[in-house]
């Protein structure tokens, strides 16, 4: 089966990628940072650039048939609530929600 993992070069995304590869699946890791996941096809894509229109709508190199997608870029602004600005919420919304919409 073919799986596409957004944010698959580090953290939870990387762990999922490795687990799928270990299970015999084909994995495409899509991330803004070149990470190394042994056995995966690495593609570059940045959620913020995609949302702002700096990237095209298509991600070159994906398989024709995709059996599953994981969206795990993992962005959050951690600070006391009273210190948060609207721009902090906007950044997290762009990466975590609009980035997922753009990816799909």
């Amino acid at each position: 089966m073919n799986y596409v993992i957004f944010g698959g070069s580090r953290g939870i995304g990387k762990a999922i990628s490795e687990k799928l590869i270990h299970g015999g699946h084909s994995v495409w890791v899509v991330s803004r940072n070149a990470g190394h996941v042994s056995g995966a096809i690495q593609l570059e894509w940045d959620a913020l650039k995609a949302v702002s229109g700096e990237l095209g709508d298509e991600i070159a190199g994906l398989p024709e048939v995709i059996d599953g997608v994981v969206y795990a870029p993992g962005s959050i602004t951690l600070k006391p609530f009273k210190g948060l600005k609207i721009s902090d919420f906007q950044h997290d919304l762009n990466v975590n929600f609009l980035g997922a919409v753009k990816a799909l």
Side-chain angles (χ1 to χ4, degrees):
M1 298 190 95
N2 297 329
Y3 292 91
V4 177
I5 315 297
F6 288 86
S9 65
R10 296 189 316 202
I12 294 170
K14 183 174 183 177
I16 293 169
S17 298
E18 291 171 343
K19 183 99 170 157
L20 287 168
I21 291 166
H22 183 70
H25 301 286
S26 297
V27 174
W28 282 255
V29 168
V30 183
S31 62
R32 65 184 166 94
N33 297 317
H36 183 70
V37 179
S38 182
I41 298 163
Q42 306 278 155
L43 303 173
E44 286 188 36
W45 185 81
D46 185 316
L48 284 176
K49 288 182 179 178
V51 168
S52 70
E54 294 179 48
L55 296 178
D57 287 338
E58 293 187 25
I59 301 170
L62 293 176
E64 187 172 317
V65 174
I66 298 173
D67 299 296
V69 175
V70 174
Y71 188 80
S75 171
I76 187 168
T77 303
L78 295 174
K79 56 179 145 177
F81 190 79
K82 67 181 181 178
L84 291 169
K85 296 180 176 33
I86 291 297
S87 60
D88 296 323
F89 290 104
Q90 187 66 47
H91 176 268
D92 289 348
L93 178 74
N94 283 340
V95 171
N96 297 312
F97 176 68
L98 296 177
V101 171
K102 189 74 168 181
L104 294 175

